[in-house]
C-alpha cells in the first residue's frame, strides 16, 4: 500500500503485479496516477481503470465487444484496497463525499464486473 499527501491509501504497482499480474499501461509518479486494463479470459470484455492520488479520483470503464457498457468516475476517494474473498478478487474503493460514503466494487477475477452504491443516513 502507498499513501499520498492527501492521505489517500491505495495499492502500489507491486501490489497489482502480485495480486493480478497487472502492470500499469500509463503512470505518473508525480501525481500517483496509474491506469490498468484487465481483459476477460475470452478477450471479449475488458475493464479499464485508473486512479490519481493527487486529484483523489478513481475511474473505471467496462467494455464488451469494444462498446462501453458501464462507467464509474468520482473524486474524493478515501481509499482503494485489493479484496479477495471466496466469490471474487478485485478492488474495493471508498469515497467520502461531504460525509456521505459511496463505494465501488470492481471484480477482476473470475469474471469482470463493477458495482457502485451510495449510503446515507
Amino acid at each position: 500500500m502507498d499513501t499520498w499527501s492527501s492521505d489517500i491509501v491505495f495499492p502500489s504497482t507491486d501490489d497489482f503485479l502480485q495480486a493480478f499480474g497487472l502492470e500499469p499501461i500509463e503512470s505518473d509518479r508525480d501525481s500517483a496516477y496509474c491506469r490498468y486494463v484487465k481483459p476477460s479470459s475470452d478477450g471479449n470484455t475488458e475493464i479499464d481503470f485508473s486512479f490519481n492520488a493527487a486529484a483523489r479520483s478513481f475511474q473505471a470503464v467496462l467494455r464488451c465487444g469494444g462498446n462501453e457498457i458501464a462507467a464509474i468516475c468520482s473524486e474524493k476517494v478515501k481509499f482503494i484496497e485489493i479484496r479477495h474473498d471466496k466469490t471474487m478478487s478485485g478492488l474495493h474503493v471508498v469515497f467520502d463525499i461531504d460525509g456521505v460514503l459511496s463505494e465501488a466494487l470492481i471484480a477482476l477475477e473470475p469474471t469482470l464486473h463493477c458495482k457502485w452504491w451510495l449510503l446515507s443516513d
Side-chain angles (χ1 to χ4, degrees), residues 14 64 85:
D14 286 340
C64 184
D85 64 34

Side-chain angles (χ1 to χ4, degrees), residues 5 12 14 18 31 47 66 68-69 71 92 99 119:
S5 60
S12 69
D14 286 340
Q18 290 175 8
S31 64
I47 193 145
E68 183 178 310
I69 56 174
H92 178 225
L119 303 173

Side-chain angles (χ1 to χ4, degrees), residues 66-96:
N67 297 311
E68 183 178 310
I69 56 174
I72 295 170
C73 181
S74 185
E75 294 179 327
K76 300 196 177 184
V77 172
K78 187 173 183 176
F79 66 84
I80 301 167
E81 66 182 358
I82 292 174
R83 176 180 276 180
H84 299 285
D85 64 34
K86 47 188 161 175
T87 62
M88 62 76 76
S89 292
L91 301 177
H92 178 225
V93 185
V94 174
F95 308 89
D96 186 349

Side-chain angles (χ1 to χ4, degrees), residues 94-111:
V94 174
F95 308 89
D96 186 349
I97 304 168
D98 299 326
V100 177
L101 292 182
S102 176
E103 298 182 51
L105 190 61
I106 310 299
L108 302 175
E109 297 171 352
T111 58

Side-chain angles (χ1 to χ4, degrees), residues 8-80:
I8 177 178
V9 178
F10 55 95
S12 69
T13 53
D14 286 340
D15 294 332
F16 279 103
L17 186 59
Q18 290 175 8
F20 306 110
L22 292 176
E23 293 193 42
I25 62 168
E26 286 184 271
S27 64
D28 176 28
R29 288 183 184 258
D30 292 337
S31 64
Y33 168 78
C34 287
R35 179 176 167 226
Y36 297 87
V37 174
K38 169 77 170 155
S40 62
S41 58
D42 65 7
N44 192 42
T45 307
E46 71 177 15
I47 193 145
D48 182 335
F49 63 94
S50 63
F51 58 89
N52 181 318
R56 295 182 56 211
S57 66
F58 180 85
Q59 301 74 224
V61 176
L62 182 62
R63 292 184 191 93
C64 184
N67 297 311
E68 183 178 310
I69 56 174
I72 295 170
C73 181
S74 185
E75 294 179 327
K76 300 196 177 184
V77 172
K78 187 173 183 176
F79 66 84
I80 301 167

